[in-house]
Amino acid sequence: MNKKTQPITRRQSIQAAAVGTAAVFAAPAIVRGQNLNDKIRVAIVGMGGRAKAHAESLVELEKESTSGVSLAGICDCDEAKLKSAETVWTERSGHKIQTYDDMRRVLDDPSIDAVTFATPNHWHSLNVIWGCQAGKDVYVEKPGSHNIFEGRKMVQAARKYNRIVQHGTQCRSSPNIVEGIDKLHQGVIGEVYFARGIAYKIRGDLGKHAPRPVPDGLDWNAWCGPAPVHEFSNFQHRRWHWIWDYGNGEIGNQGVHQMDILRWGLKLDTHPVQVSSVGSNYMQENVHQSSAETPGVLSTSLKWADGRMVEFAVRDWYTNAEAGFRDKYPFVQKDFPVGTIFLGTEGTMIIPDYSSYYTFLGRNREPGPSAFEEGSPISNLPHFRNWALAVRARNPEFLSAEIEQGHHSAALCHLANIAYRVDRTLHFDPEKETFKDDPQADRLLTRPARGAFTVPDVV
């Protein structure tokens, strides 16, 4: 690690002390009748792309004497994916792992204490709600919700059932980014007057929806869950990020990380009051002629009641970089410019990845405090370690990314998408979480009910 920083901040000191306090892990607290000197038995639901990071982190935590975590189960509604994951993680963990083909069996199993969800976006809120109702603590991937109504319901469930729920915005557990945000709040670049985020990723031809029979061993009805059931195709199954019924586009996929950092840096703990978005899906519609629905190019402006503003930009094809992202400060995916920019009265700060920050002071942009880690790694393990600490301590205040923070950050992405879809500037009521005199936009705050998979009004 290469650092050019001032001494460790008070917040970091508190976090470091909390993680290293053996008394927290040895305390005779009780969770559903279990002494917390026992292992926290965790199951992973959804064995797709992000599940690898979940499993790797949990297996690593098993090796740490203070974590008290065990990877006990895995679940997927795709039989082939489940069998493959069982082979891999039994070997990697060195012990038997229980398998489940239905998440409700996981939630009904009293031997499982906590659940991590690496399912598609359209499942996330109901995952959290069901998990809390079953008395499990939860880790959910980003964005925590598919829409704003469901996001609020998952927060209500965490509160009602007194569950520890972590949101998968891992930058909140990066020591370097924690340091950078602390310095931002201390005034390292003066008064911050503006912030901007970008997510520029070349996506190529996302393909077309070509219906075909559901593969043997895949429960397509369960995969669709709270979303409408469309005819199966590889596009529907693999490109769900770019379909409104299942995903939230690039701003909800990558952008939620940067939105979270922007909120964190500006201390924005309420929703904005105004949002506008313009964009298009030009490359997919006109060049590739794919079935993607979400915008490949999107420019969003959000304004809060106190006048603070945030901009966010998405691009899905060839592009210049900004602020040195990609060309000088590589992202974990080296070809893509991704990051956040804070502008202050005495300088600027950039956060170009999941584990670093840089400051530039004055008119001559003299290098100021900075910290980075080679390879720009994602802070998966620290984020899961933080969650395990909070679970054992029974204290949600220990969480780096408590679920209400996740709700507020995901909501920015949802607001951006809604403004794009209705194609006009929108005015939002942060308290009611509805738009002002705009029933068309309000309809996009939620989605139609779907039987047993409906997110309830009362959790």
Side-chain angles (χ1 to χ4, degrees):
M1 184 179 294
N2 186 324
K3 283 182 174 283
K4 183 179 179 182
T5 62
Q6 297 176 4
I8 194 167
T9 64
R10 179 176 179 272
R11 178 178 175 186
Q12 286 174 280
S13 298
I14 292 171
Q15 286 188 332
V19 171
T21 301
V24 170
F25 295 97
I30 302 298
V31 183
R32 296 180 298 283
Q34 282 195 338
N35 188 303
L36 282 184
N37 289 318
D38 297 334
K39 292 281 189 180
I40 302 168
R41 291 173 53 82
V42 183
I44 304 170
V45 174
M47 299 311 298
R50 280 298 298 165
K52 180 180 178 183
H54 290 219
E56 285 179 339
S57 297
L58 293 171
V59 168
E60 284 301 307
L61 287 176
E62 285 187 347
K63 301 173 184 177
E64 299 180 1
S65 59
T66 56
S67 71
V69 167
S70 174
L71 174 56
I74 57 175
C75 175
D76 203 286
C77 61
D78 185 330
E79 181 181 340
K81 192 177 292 184
L82 184 61
K83 286 183 177 179
S84 175
E86 179 185 18
T87 299
V88 170
W89 297 110
T90 296
E91 180 180 347
R92 294 278 297 273
S93 68
H95 60 75
K96 178 177 173 55
I97 294 177
Q98 180 66 41
T99 61
Y100 307 84
D101 60 4
D102 188 320
M103 76 177 72
R104 289 166 289 196
R105 291 181 54 226
V106 177
L107 301 178
D108 288 342
D109 188 341
S111 75
I112 298 298
D113 303 303
V115 185
T116 78
F117 290 103
T119 51
N121 296 7
H122 66 277
W123 256 111
H124 287 174
S125 292
L126 193 57
N127 287 151
V128 171
I129 293 165
W130 281 2
C132 292
Q133 290 174 335
K136 317 294 188 187
D137 296 308
V138 175
Y139 180 112
V140 64
E141 268 302 322
K142 55 74 191 168
S145 60
H146 181 262
N147 57 68
I148 290 175
F149 165 81
E150 294 180 5
R152 176 52 60 188
K153 294 304 167 183
M154 70 181 179
V155 175
Q156 291 176 358
R159 302 289 180 268
K160 180 175 181 178
Y161 299 100
N162 194 28
R163 294 296 95 203
I164 309 298
V165 184
Q166 179 89 300
H167 186 253
T169 37
Q170 302 90 347
C171 292
R172 295 261 182 169
S173 290
S174 163
N176 289 345
I177 293 181
V178 169
E179 178 181 287
I181 297 296
D182 279 338
K183 290 188 181 298
L184 191 70
H185 293 166
Q186 292 163 13
V188 68
I189 64 169
E191 182 180 350
V192 180
Y193 66 88
F194 186 75
R196 174 172 167 82
I198 68 170
Y200 300 165
K201 292 189 168 185
I202 298 172
R203 288 301 180 184
D205 185 349
L206 292 171
K208 297 181 178 64
H209 173 52
R212 49 164 289 200
V214 177
D216 291 341
L218 171 63
D219 186 339
W220 182 237
N221 183 64
W223 189 93
C224 293
V229 179
H230 297 294
E231 284 186 284
F232 177 86
S233 72
N234 285 337
F235 179 82
Q236 298 283 336
H237 192 210
R238 303 295 183 188
R239 300 299 193 186
W240 54 266
H241 276 300
W242 325 117
I243 305 170
W244 290 122
D245 282 338
Y246 302 133
N248 304 98
E250 192 69 84
I251 199 167
N253 176 37
Q254 177 61 54
V256 66
H257 287 289
Q258 282 64 51
M259 284 291 203
D260 188 64
I261 292 172
L262 294 173
R263 281 190 51 251
W264 184 14
L266 292 175
K267 299 183 180 179
L268 296 170
D269 288 326
T270 62
H271 297 301
V273 296
Q274 182 176 313
V275 55
S276 60
S277 289
V278 292
S280 76
N281 206 14
Y282 180 85
M283 292 300 296
Q284 299 301 326
E285 291 176 347
N286 297 287
V287 177
H288 302 309
Q289 298 183 334
S290 86
S291 300
E293 299 171 348
T294 62
V297 176
L298 186 69
S299 295
T300 297
S301 295
L302 302 127
K303 184 178 181 179
W304 275 256
D306 63 5
R308 286 179 293 176
M309 288 184 60
V310 161
E311 282 186 352
F312 205 94
V314 165
R315 297 176 191 168
D316 70 346
W317 203 238
Y318 303 143
T319 180
N320 61 296
E322 287 188 28
F325 301 155
R326 180 192 66 194
D327 300 343
K328 186 174 182 180
Y329 306 106
F331 187 59
V332 64
Q333 295 163 296
K334 306 301 181 186
D335 294 335
F336 301 147
V338 173
T340 55
I341 307 164
F342 294 94
L343 308 181
T345 56
E346 298 177 23
T348 62
M349 176 183 287
I350 64 170
I351 298 176
D353 52 39
Y354 297 101
S355 51
S356 68
Y357 79 96
Y358 301 85
T359 57
F360 308 93
L361 306 180
R363 178 173 292 185
N364 295 327
R365 291 179 49 81
E366 295 291 337
S370 65
F372 69 91
E373 190 168 347
E374 294 294 340
S376 312
I378 303 175
S379 298
N380 290 315
L381 180 57
H383 209 46
F384 277 92
R385 186 185 292 117
N386 170 259
W387 176 58
L389 167 68
V391 169
R392 295 193 72 79
R394 305 310 308 151
N395 190 346
E397 293 184 5
F398 282 17
L399 290 170
S400 297
E402 202 275 333
I403 194 58
E404 188 156 25
Q405 296 294 336
H407 168 54
H408 278 273
S409 296
L412 301 186
C413 305
H414 302 325
L415 289 170
N417 281 331
I418 293 171
Y420 164 77
R421 294 178 75 177
V422 300
D423 196 23
R424 61 177 172 274
T425 297
L426 299 174
H427 299 275
F428 194 65
D429 186 323
E431 296 298 322
K432 295 179 181 179
E433 295 189 331
T434 58
F435 295 99
K436 295 182 179 180
D437 302 319
D438 199 327
Q440 181 190 11
D442 277 342
R443 283 193 290 273
L444 296 175
L445 293 169
T446 185
R447 55 182 163 181
R450 192 167 104 75
F453 297 112
T454 300
V455 173
D457 287 322
V458 179
V459 297

